[in-house]
Every structure is written in C-alpha cells, then in structure tokens.
Amino acid sequence: FKANRKMMKSYQRIVPSKMIGVVSSGGNGRGSVCFDGSGSLGLSCSLQNINVLNLRLLNQVGTIESTDFSSSEYPYSVASDVCIIERFPLQSEGQKSAPLVAAGYSNGEVKIWNYLTRELKATLRGHKSAVSCLVFCENQNSSYTSADSISLLASGGKDCDIIVWDLISYSGVSRLRGHKDEVTGLSFLQRNIDGSAQQQLLVSVSKDTLMMVWDLATQHCLQTIVGHRCEIWSLTSTELHLSRTPQPCPLLVTGSADEFLRGYRFAEPSPEVEEAEEVQDQQEVLQYCGCVSRSEAVLGLGLGQTGSDRCVWLRFGPSPSPSQPQEGDAEDKAAWASLLVAQTSGKSLEVYRLRSGADILKKLKRRLKRQREKVPGSEEDQLPGLGLGQTSWQLGDALEAWHVLRCGSKIRGVALSPRVQLGKQRLLVALASNSLELFELGSGAGEAADRSGRCTQVAAVDSGGHRSDVRAVCISEDGRTLCTCSSESVKIWSMSSKLCVGTCRVIGSGGADNYCISCVFAPGARFVVVGTKDGFIKVVDSASLEVVCEQSAGGCVWSLAVRPDGQGLMAGCGDKAVKFYDFTVASAGLAVSLARELSVPQEVLCVRYSPTRSADKLLFAAGLLDNTVKVFFHDSMKFFLSLYGHSLPVLCVDFSWDCSLLVSGSADKTIKIWGLDFGDCHRSLQAHTDSVSCIRFQPKTHYFLSAGKDGVLKYWDADRFEQVQQLPGHRGSVWGLDVAPDGGEVVSGGQDRSIRSWSRSEDLVFVEEERERALEAQVDQAAVEGQVGSVAVVGGGGLESVKSVEQLMEGLELVTNELQEMQEGVKNTNVNSNPLLLGLSPLRFMLRLLRTIKAPDLEATLLLLPFTHATLFLRILVLLVRRGNEVELCARCALFLISSHQPRIASSSQLLGEVASLHSLLGRAVDDYRQLTGEGCAGLKYLMKQLQEDRLGYTGLDAVLAEEGLSGNVVKKNKKKKGKRESNEIVEDSHVGSGSNIKSNSGGKKKKRAKQQ
C-alpha cells in the first residue's frame, strides 16, 4: 500500500470561486423577483443564487449563494437552481418586517434565508421535484406582532403535493395529496364559525383544472371546484370592505390558460342546509362570483389587443386600510385603491384596479337597474340586497381594466412594492433578456385620467450581464482584465473585483447589432479585437468603449488568435481561408490590415498558434469542417501535418507549452491527444456527453481543461491520459474558456449567460480517491432515491438523514454501554474516562448529539432508526425527562418513536412499562412548561400594552370606545376638553405660587401611581 501510495500523483484542486453576469435568470417563469419590506431592495433569482439589488443606486449589493464551494461534497453535490422566491410578509404598522425570504429550488428543497446577513436559517426537504409556488400564512390569533406570528408556510411542487411547514420548529406539519398535476397556486383563508371560532383553510389550484379547499385542522379536502375547463396557472386573494363593518369579504381570483379571470368568495349557507345535518359535509365553502374577459377589458382601454396568452401569475397590491375613508374625491380613492397585476406568458402585463366598497355598490346598482329595464314588469323590491354579506355583486363589479404594460422581451417575473408612496405603486419586472425594469404605476382616477401617464419606467438594471449567450471569453496578458462578447455587445470586466467596467455595443452598417462570436486582447490589454458572424473584424477601445477600426473578413470569423510576438493576429473564416492581419497604428488608436491569406479545402472553425517566439519554429493549427486538423509553418505557409481521426468537425485545438503535444476537441464528443513529432494519436478520450467546444492548456504543464455543450468543465492530465477533476456548474452549453497567464484562474461563459470563475486551491487531488468518491456519491444518491417513495414523514429522505442516523446509532450504543458499566459499578460515576464522550456525562453527550440533528431532519432520522436502537432510545429518554433536560425535544422524539413502532411496542410488556413511565413523566413536565409559557405570554402582553400606551397615549378608555365602534371624533373632543381643563388648572395654580404648584404635581403623581398599582 505504501508503494502504491508513493506512485500516486497529486494535483492541485480547482474549485469554483464566483459567478457573475446573471442579473435575473427568471426561475420557473413567475415569482422570480420580490421586494424587501421597505421597497428599497429587490431580490431576483440568479440560477442557483439570489441577487440582492439596491433599487435606488441600481447596483448589486449582495449575493445569497446556496453552494459551499469549500465543502468536500463538491462536485458530487451541486446546488440546484432557484425556481421561486417569496418575501416574509409585512408585520403590522409600526413593526419592522423580518428580513427573511423563502426560496424554492428545482430539487424540491425550500430554504429560508436572511437576505441582509445572507445566513441560512433552515432547509426544508419534502418535495421530490421542483417547487412551483410558496405562500406564507400570518397567524391572526397572535396576541402580539413579531416574527413568530408568521407561523406557517405552504409549498406546492411539480410532484402534485402540497406541504404545510411550521416556521417555528422548521418541520413539516402535513402533506396534502389530491391533485394530479403541478400545483400552481396557494392561498390561506380564515373563516369564522359560530361567530367565535376560526377555521384555517388552504385553497390550491393546479394544472389538472381543479381548485381544492383544504381544512388544515383535519387535513382533508372540503370542496373541489371543477368550473375551469383548462389549466389553472395562478391564484391570489384579497379582502373587500364593502361597508363600514369590521368583517371583510375575501375575494379569490384565478388565472388560467384561457382569456378569463374567475372570481370566488365565501358561500353563504342556506337555511335548508343548516337544518339538515346529513348534508352538512356537502356544504360548499367557496362559490363562483363571475368572471372578467381579459381581451374585452383591454380593448376597452384602447391600448391594443391582448388576452390571448395565458395568465401565469396574479398578485394584488397592498390593500387599503379599512380605517381609510371610502368616500371623497377621486384622487384620494385612487391613491388607496389596490391593484391587481396579471402576468401573461408573453411580453404584456395587465393591470386592473380594485374598486372601493362604495364604487362596487354603485356599479352593482347600475347593473341591476339595466337588468330591470331589460325585463319589463319587474319591481325594485324584487332586486337582491346591496349590503354586506349579500352575494349579488360579481367580479366585474369589483375589477376594472387600468393599464397594459408591454416590455421588449418576455416577462419572467413581477413583484409589487409592499408600500405605496404618494399614490405611486412600484413594479419590478424580470425579463427573459437577463435584465430588470422598474416601473411606477400612477394614481390617475376615472376615465378622464391620462392613461399614458399611468405607468412610467423609472430605471433598468441591465449593465451587469449579457442579454444573450456568452459566446467567447478572453483574459488579458497581464491577468487584470476580462473580455466577454455576445450577440449584441462586448463587455469589459475587472478580474479582481469581478465588476463590469464598461459595455460597447457593436453595431453593423445597417444599424442592427453584429453577432460577436470571438474575441481576443491585443498586446497592451487596451484594445480588444472582435470577430462577428457577418464577416467583420472590429477593434474596440476598452477605455472609450468605441469601435476604432473595422475590417471585412469575407466570411464568418469563427476564431481569432494573436501571434506570440504580438505583431499581428490570425482569423479562421467561413470562406475557406485562414487570414493573417498585422497591427498598425492609426489616428484613432490600433488598426488591423490584411497581410496574407491561406486557402483550405473547408471552412475553418478554430485556429491556434504554438507558444513559441522563434519565427522558424512557429506553427499554427486549423480545425476544419472536414473532421481534420491541419498544421502549417507560419513563416513559409508550408504544410506540416494532417491529423485524421475525428468523425465530426473539429471545434477547438490547442498546443502545449513545449510544442510537443496538440489536443483537439470535436463534435463527436471526443478529445484526441496528438504528438507533433510524427502526427500520431497518443490517446482518444471519450470526454463529454455532448460536443467538445473549448480546450485550453495550463501554462508550463501538460494539464488541460475542456468544456462542452453538456455544461461541464473537465481537468485532464495529457501525459497519463486520465481525468483529474470534473467541474459542473453551467446550466447549458459552454461556449468560451480561457486560462489566466499564471494558470491560477480559469474563466468560462456559456448559454446560461453566466460568467464563472474557477481558482486553483491549495488542496491536493488524488485520481484514485476522486474515483472512489464518485462511486460513493452514486451509491448514496441511489439509496436516497430509493427511500424517497417509502418515507412517510414530511421533509424526510435526504443524505443528511442517513448520516445523522448513523451517528445516532453509534451514540446510543456508546451511551448504553457507559450507563450499564456505571450501574454495575465497573466505572466511577463521577469520572468520565471514555474520551469518546468528549468529557461529558453519558446523558449530556446524548443531548449534545440530539441537538446536532437539524430540526427538519429529526423525524426522518428517527424513521430510519432500527427497532432495536429505538428501544434503547426510549429508555434513555426516560432518564432525560426524569432529570428535566430538554423536555420539548424529548417529547417530540418519544411521540414520533411510539407512533412509528406502535404495534411492536404494544406486544412487549417491558416496553409498555417504559412507555407508561414516560407518559407520566412527560405529562408533569409538559404541564410545568405550559404554565411557564403562559406566564411569559401574559408578561409580554402587559409589556406590549404599556409600550403602546407610552408611545401613543392610548388609554384603556380609548380601547373600550374603539371596541364599541364609537367614532374617533368623540375621543378627540374628550381629549380636547381634558386638555383645556388641565391648562386652566395650570394657569390657576401659577397664580398661587411655586410651592403649591409643586405640591399639586406631587399629589397628582401619587394618584397616578395608585391607579397603576
């Protein structure tokens, strides 16, 4: 073994360092952006990361990275893409919202992040596939407002499941199954029962055309609505205040693949159903309240035709407070009107205005009047009622078309600002072109308002990335600057800060953008030479960001290469020629001029110089469309070698630093290593699962990196013909790859518009160990996939659960042996001689081991625990509860173990005794905890009340008047009278003298203290 160990060769590990260039990836096409609680920050999905943007300065202030690149599990455990994000709901007025955001990932995980500190709060595992929707539920029964009042989170996935999560313990509460396709929308509702109790409901919609109402207490479906005839894509809800009553009316709106928005509200029970007990289960919870045709509503605005695209996302803006006046001038009503935003699958965004309660009733009266006029002989008494609680109003009475916003590319996400300032509603839109746009919706009122001024674009965030695929990357010779190009522009980046320094838009003669497909730095690192698809070579000044020279190449410029002496460059063109240019000095800066040309039989797809400055030894290679690589002498243009072997066109070539090796990559997914002495093929490697697009040698080595259309980078040893590392990360084809001059950093760019940096670390890589790790990762992944279907708990079935149960089993055996030896008197109970206990007593070590298990993985870990170890665990739990250690954690473990192994425990008389003693101990301990918690809640209520009184001057009398529904004018008048009376007393006391004044004040303070006591 030692001899084999000495023969193993080590390499320096290459790890991902940073990803730039992605402003917004769009997630799953909806819900990919959101505001923070203040509305000054914006959050957007950026592949596997979440970008935090300052919307005032229009720059990126942070990135939430879900991958720990220092982890030993990379590259066999790579973070999934963010599909949807949902901000933590706002708290009540005067309270700060918690800076938390929930993110759903493509692997089914839900992660809770603090977007200010970029700290991961919890990871919730339960879905088998991508998360498609998220919604928070605010606990309305909470006695005080805090972050803990947001207690539930519901998530729906493409696996057709709905999971309700507890955000206090970060564990799953229930899994709701009933849909047959992807769940697309969720909404929490609360319904009053018998005037006192509240029923917690969850409404879900899916692509299976069904809308379901779930009771969270009983975890079953109360109602299934089948009114839709096509896929349902979105769901949102709000509250309507139809009159001055404290009871709002919930309104649900759904968007589907057709042109209609459908509305639903709570159904009023009929007397017949209330009397018949046998049909109470058939009582409907929600009832249909009409629909709105999107195409007809938009045509009424006169802004063109839309409504044909499906409505993929709906969201109401911040609702007006019920204390705000519903009557007044038009501007005040519009300033407090809530907006409904409907995102379509195309480039348009439809905005609807939610009418106030008074306007809804006026609209209803007009509609009923028209109906009465159409039906002769009807009387006004026969019309339905108009007050609160009546079901005569329709969705068309509540919504009116407000504006249609059209963007330059497809919309991938929309977010509404949580706060309305000066009657302006801010709108953040994520586009498919890797950009964000910020709009303001005005508060114009009525038909007389200027519709063109209702929506204005405030800003655009697009400087941090390319609008299309990154086609080529190039690092300057000093390693300080990076150049990337795409179909519309050339961008210059700083290698140290990874920030975009400038952008140059390359425009052709007809005014259209030139498609840039290759780029290279000229000597001096100031000028960049770019090759375009329409056959032009352009020189861009990185300082002024202008094109200073343009030269026609006659055909598509697929590849560029700078001569090692820095005097010129070579271009591989699509007109079956290799063209050589010399650098010249012009008035505008650097220019290029055609020096000579070499004709070849087929199109040239790639060219490369050998890294030597000697003119007589300088070679260049050209990969052709006929599957061959041609090697020529540069000085005489004489043919040197023709390398045959590839079965498809050669896409990339490169020379080693000593000119002894040449590697070529082809569309046939192979890499061939050639010797330049005789042109023989040393080895053919089956490298990628798709075409090999890029190859680069590391300086001063025979190690090279390759990239392909499979989105994976690979690190190779050309002497041993073996793969050293696999570097996944890209979400599409990799089109560009370059290595820094010192070999310490690698940059790649591709179809996902991301520019990724990879750095060389100090860790060592052994090829045999990497192969073993790859096999272990495959076995672990297969084991986890096999357990997913059998795991019944919410959030179970992960690799971390498997590792946790192994540690728990070892800990149980260790603690049991230690306790048995102490009981037999073999060991002293006061001395812990076993080093595995880390200097702790056995029970404290067990508690420490339980605390290391994450809360979301606790039940999944206990489920994987064998029955023999479960019995040991029950006995240890009895000892822990008897000592009063972590009663809540012990109770949770005990209840789950007993429910999981109930049949086998019932058949064992010894275990029944353990369970009985555990029951009595837990009962007393839980009662003590309940009493302690009640006292703490009562104290918090008292302190909260005192703080409100001190801050607002809100007395007990005011609270009684507010509960009785008296107007605030009476309270204000009483306060004014009281203030005048106190001012008169002070004036009278001032004529008496300072001594009597001090005495009267002290007497008043004593009375006040007595009242407080």
Side-chain angles (χ1 to χ4, degrees):
F1 176 78
K2 292 182 179 180
N4 292 335
R5 186 71 176 180
K6 291 180 180 179
M7 294 295 294
M8 291 177 62
K9 187 175 181 179
S10 62
Y11 305 86
Q12 284 186 295
R13 184 181 298 275
I14 297 177
V15 296
S17 59
K18 196 169 184 179
M19 183 191 72
I20 57 176
V22 181
V23 179
S24 176
S25 60
N28 60 1
R30 50 197 177 93
S32 61
V33 291
C34 68
F35 283 92
D36 71 327
S38 63
S40 60
L41 297 179
L43 288 81
S44 65
C45 299
S46 174
L47 297 180
Q48 71 266 27
N49 300 335
I50 300 176
N51 290 339
V52 183
L53 306 167
N54 189 329
L55 299 179
R56 295 177 181 175
L57 302 178
L58 301 179
N59 60 352
Q60 184 174 336
V61 296
T63 302
I64 301 175
E65 298 181 354
S66 57
T67 304
D68 185 10
F69 294 133
S70 62
S71 174
S72 59
E73 297 181 359
Y74 181 82
Y76 309 106
S77 178
V78 183
S80 302
D81 290 348
V82 183
C83 297
I84 187 171
I85 54 177
E86 184 71 19
R87 174 186 46 81
F88 207 72
L90 288 178
Q91 305 297 327
S92 62
E93 187 175 356
Q95 299 288 335
K96 290 185 178 180
S97 177
L100 300 178
V101 62
Y105 290 80
S106 59
N107 62 350
E109 293 182 348
V110 178
K111 295 184 179 181
I112 311 296
W113 296 92
N114 186 321
Y115 55 80
L116 294 181
T117 62
R118 296 184 285 279
E119 176 187 359
L120 178 63
K121 292 294 184 181
T123 301
L124 310 176
R125 300 182 179 90
H127 290 284
K128 302 176 186 177
S129 57
V131 179
S132 56
C133 54
L134 293 170
V135 63
F136 284 96
C137 173
E138 183 173 357
N139 187 6
Q140 303 294 341
N141 298 327
S142 179
S143 57
Y144 58 94
T145 304
S146 67
D148 294 338
S149 64
I150 313 298
S151 58
L152 295 179
L153 170 68
S155 62
K158 291 185 178 180
D159 56 357
C160 312
D161 290 350
I162 303 169
I163 301 179
V164 182
W165 306 92
D166 184 3
L167 295 182
I168 298 177
S169 61
Y170 292 115
S171 60
V173 176
S174 60
R175 184 190 295 268
L176 307 177
R177 290 176 174 171
H179 287 290
K180 303 300 181 184
D181 206 338
E182 176 185 347
V183 181
T184 55
L186 296 169
S187 180
F188 282 100
L189 293 178
Q190 286 186 347
R191 185 175 65 162
N192 294 328
I193 302 177
D194 300 332
S196 59
Q198 285 188 343
Q199 185 181 20
Q200 189 75 33
L201 303 176
L202 178 65
V203 184
S204 63
V205 295
S206 172
K207 289 183 180 180
D208 58 3
T209 73
L210 298 180
M211 182 177 181
M212 293 186 174
V213 184
W214 306 84
D215 186 358
L216 296 183
T218 59
Q219 299 182 10
H220 77 282
C221 181
L222 297 178
Q223 182 185 5
T224 301
I225 301 174
V226 294
H228 296 79
R229 293 295 181 264
C230 55
E231 295 179 346
I232 309 175
W233 279 86
S234 54
L235 171 68
T236 186
S237 63
T238 187
E239 293 180 347
L240 292 178
H241 302 274
L242 296 183
S243 61
R244 296 179 181 274
T245 59
Q247 295 294 336
C249 178
L251 171 64
L252 284 86
V253 182
T254 62
S256 56
D258 56 11
E259 62 172 356
F260 295 101
L261 297 178
R262 295 173 174 85
Y264 296 88
R265 61 182 170 220
F266 280 150
E268 292 190 357
S270 60
E272 294 80 3
V273 176
E274 291 180 352
E275 294 176 0
E277 296 180 356
E278 62 274 10
V279 296
Q280 284 186 358
D281 293 338
Q282 301 176 4
Q283 178 183 355
E284 60 179 4
V285 180
L286 296 177
Q287 70 176 13
Y288 178 69
C289 63
C291 64
V292 173
S293 175
R294 293 163 44 220
S295 59
E296 294 180 2
V298 173
L299 282 175
L301 293 176
L303 296 177
Q305 186 176 2
T306 184
S308 59
D309 297 330
R310 63 176 181 267
C311 179
V312 299
W313 186 84
L314 285 171
R315 186 60 57 91
F316 277 102
S319 301
S321 174
S323 62
Q324 293 298 323
Q326 297 295 337
E327 298 180 357
D329 56 357
E331 293 182 0
D332 292 336
K333 288 191 295 183
W336 284 96
S338 178
L339 298 178
L340 173 64
V341 177
Q343 175 193 343
T344 65
S345 58
K347 301 179 181 180
S348 61
L349 195 68
E350 302 168 6
V351 184
Y352 299 84
R353 179 175 175 265
L354 184 65
R355 294 187 176 98
S356 62
D359 291 340
I360 292 176
L361 297 181
K362 291 179 182 178
K363 181 75 173 177
L364 178 59
K365 289 180 181 179
R366 290 195 298 266
R367 181 170 59 84
L368 295 179
K369 184 178 179 180
R370 289 194 299 267
Q371 292 179 2
R372 186 172 61 252
E373 293 175 352
K374 291 180 180 179
V375 180
S378 62
E379 298 180 358
E380 187 175 358
D381 297 337
Q382 298 176 357
L383 298 177
L386 303 176
L388 180 68
Q390 303 296 327
T391 59
S392 56
W393 61 271
Q394 301 292 320
L395 182 63
D397 301 330
L399 290 180
E400 65 171 337
W402 188 251
H403 192 74
V404 176
L405 174 64
R406 289 181 173 86
C407 300
S409 59
K410 286 188 176 182
I411 300 174
R412 305 288 293 173
V414 183
L416 284 163
S417 175
R419 304 185 188 277
V420 179
Q421 298 178 356
L422 300 176
K424 298 287 186 178
Q425 176 72 59
R426 304 183 80 188
L427 199 66
L428 185 62
V429 181
L431 302 179
S433 59
N434 191 25
S435 61
L436 297 173
E437 292 184 355
L438 187 64
F439 296 88
E440 277 190 354
L441 297 177
S443 59
E447 299 295 335
D450 184 11
R451 301 187 188 279
S452 61
R454 289 183 177 179
C455 183
T456 57
Q457 182 176 350
V458 178
V461 183
D462 56 1
S463 61
H466 288 280
R467 307 282 76 77
S468 58
D469 301 3
V470 179
R471 294 294 304 185
V473 298
C474 180
I475 303 176
S476 62
E477 59 183 3
D478 56 1
R480 297 181 179 180
T481 313
L482 171 69
C483 175
T484 60
C485 67
S486 62
S487 63
E488 81 288 342
S489 63
V490 175
K491 288 184 177 291
I492 308 298
W493 308 78
S494 171
M495 287 291 291
S496 57
S497 62
K498 299 297 187 299
L499 295 178
C500 182
V501 178
T503 302
C504 176
R505 185 175 177 181
V506 182
I507 301 176
S509 57
D513 295 337
N514 286 139
Y515 200 117
C516 305
I517 56 176
S518 59
C519 65
V520 68
F521 270 101
R526 177 176 175 178
F527 296 95
V528 180
V529 183
V530 180
T532 64
K533 195 172 183 179
D534 55 354
F536 285 92
I537 295 178
K538 300 189 177 185
V539 181
V540 179
D541 189 352
S542 61
S544 62
L545 300 175
E546 295 179 353
V547 178
V548 297
C549 178
E550 181 176 342
Q551 186 74 243
S552 176
C556 179
V557 183
W558 290 108
S559 180
L560 292 172
V562 176
R563 198 187 312 166
D565 59 3
Q567 300 298 321
L569 61 86
M570 171 178 54
C573 302
D575 58 351
K576 303 180 182 180
V578 180
K579 299 181 180 181
F580 301 87
Y581 295 86
D582 292 335
F583 291 125
T584 59
V585 179
S587 60
L590 187 68
V592 294
S593 59
L594 181 63
R596 48 185 176 171
E597 181 179 339
L598 175 65
S599 298
V600 290
Q602 292 290 336
E603 288 188 31
V604 182
L605 302 181
C606 56
V607 291
R608 196 70 177 171
Y609 275 112
S610 62
T612 178
R613 293 182 178 272
S614 178
D616 56 344
K617 297 181 180 180
L618 183 61
L619 303 173
F620 69 91
L624 306 182
L625 192 63
D626 60 359
N627 313 337
T628 63
V629 180
K630 306 290 185 182
V631 184
F632 299 88
F633 289 101
H634 178 265
D635 54 355
S636 61
M637 295 292 174
K638 289 184 179 180
F639 172 77
F640 178 50
L641 290 173
S642 183
L643 309 178
Y644 296 90
H646 287 291
S647 58
L648 288 175
V650 180
L651 303 180
C652 50
V653 294
D654 197 12
F655 287 90
S656 64
W657 68 282
D658 55 358
C659 299
S660 61
L661 296 176
L662 182 142
V663 292
S664 61
S666 170
D668 60 4
K669 312 174 188 179
T670 63
I671 294 176
K672 294 186 181 295
I673 304 175
W674 310 86
L676 291 180
D677 294 335
F678 305 100
D680 56 327
C681 180
H682 291 178
R683 187 65 60 93
S684 180
L685 305 173
Q686 191 68 29
H688 293 265
T689 58
D690 208 334
S691 302
V692 183
S693 56
C694 308
I695 280 183
R696 285 292 181 272
F697 267 102
Q698 278 196 330
K700 306 297 182 182
T701 65
H702 280 183
Y703 311 145
F704 66 92
L705 291 104
S706 66
K709 291 185 179 180
D710 55 359
V712 179
L713 274 69
K714 293 189 178 183
Y715 188 30
W716 304 87
D717 186 349
D719 293 332
R720 294 174 173 260
F721 316 122
E722 58 186 6
Q723 176 183 321
V724 179
Q725 262 188 285
Q726 182 173 338
L727 306 172
H730 281 280
R731 301 302 192 265
S733 302
V734 181
W735 301 118
L737 178 69
D738 201 6
V739 182
D742 59 352
E745 192 167 3
V746 180
V747 179
S748 61
Q751 186 179 5
D752 57 0
R753 303 169 188 172
S754 67
I755 303 165
R756 297 175 185 264
S757 174
W758 317 77
S759 60
R760 187 171 55 192
S761 66
E762 297 180 356
D763 297 338
L764 297 181
V765 177
F766 297 94
V767 177
E768 294 297 332
E769 292 182 358
E770 288 296 308
R771 292 175 182 171
E772 293 176 2
R773 289 180 58 203
L775 292 175
E776 290 177 0
Q778 293 178 2
V779 173
D780 293 340
Q781 185 66 25
V784 170
E785 291 177 356
Q787 293 165 3
V788 167
S790 61
V791 175
V793 297
V794 178
L799 187 59
E800 294 186 4
S801 302
V802 178
K803 296 180 179 179
S804 299
V805 75
E806 293 178 355
Q807 297 177 358
L808 183 59
M809 292 169 60
E810 295 176 358
L812 287 172
E813 295 174 357
L814 177 62
V815 170
T816 303
N817 294 334
E818 290 293 323
L819 292 175
Q820 186 176 0
E821 291 179 359
M822 289 181 180
Q823 187 176 2
E824 294 175 356
V826 178
K827 286 188 177 182
N828 187 3
T829 57
N830 297 325
V831 179
N832 298 324
S833 58
N834 195 337
L836 296 178
L837 295 178
L838 305 177
L840 303 173
S841 63
L843 294 181
R844 288 187 176 274
F845 176 78
M846 195 67 214
L847 283 176
R848 181 181 181 275
L849 185 60
L850 288 177
R851 293 192 192 103
T852 57
I853 303 175
K854 296 180 180 179
D857 300 331
L858 181 60
E859 294 181 353
T861 301
L862 296 178
L863 188 69
L864 299 176
L865 196 66
F867 181 71
T868 55
H869 291 78
T871 57
L872 299 178
F873 195 19
L874 285 175
R875 295 188 178 97
I876 294 176
L877 287 176
V878 173
L879 299 177
L880 292 174
V881 176
R882 187 171 294 164
R883 295 192 177 189
N885 295 327
E886 294 287 348
V887 176
E888 183 180 358
L889 179 61
C890 294
R892 184 181 173 187
C893 295
L895 289 176
F896 187 81
L897 286 175
I898 294 172
S899 61
S900 301
H901 303 282
Q902 188 264 340
R904 303 186 67 175
I905 291 176
S907 62
S908 175
S909 57
Q910 185 178 1
L911 288 178
L912 285 177
E914 299 286 346
V915 172
S917 60
L918 189 61
H919 177 267
S920 60
L921 291 172
L922 280 176
R924 292 193 296 269
V926 170
D927 288 340
D928 295 340
Y929 265 73
R930 186 182 293 113
Q931 182 179 359
L932 182 62
T933 305
E935 294 174 356
C937 290
L940 288 174
K941 290 180 184 178
Y942 177 76
L943 291 176
M944 194 68 184
K945 183 179 178 181
Q946 293 294 326
L947 287 174
Q948 290 179 352
E949 291 180 358
D950 293 342
R951 185 175 65 250
L952 303 176
Y954 196 69
T955 61
L957 178 61
D958 297 333
V960 174
L961 293 175
E963 291 179 359
E964 292 179 356
L966 297 179
S967 63
N969 295 329
V970 178
V971 180
K972 291 180 180 179
K973 290 180 180 178
N974 293 334
K975 289 184 177 180
K976 287 181 179 179
K977 292 180 179 179
K978 185 178 178 182
K980 290 180 179 179
R981 192 183 304 115
E982 290 179 353
S983 62
N984 293 333
E985 291 177 357
I986 293 174
V987 172
E988 292 175 359
D989 292 341
S990 63
H991 295 289
V992 178
S994 59
S996 61
N997 193 9
I998 295 172
K999 186 175 181 180
S1000 63
N1001 289 338
S1002 62
K1005 291 182 179 179
K1006 289 181 180 180
K1007 290 180 181 179
K1008 188 175 180 180
R1009 291 175 184 171
K1011 287 181 180 180
Q1012 289 181 354
Q1013 292 177 358

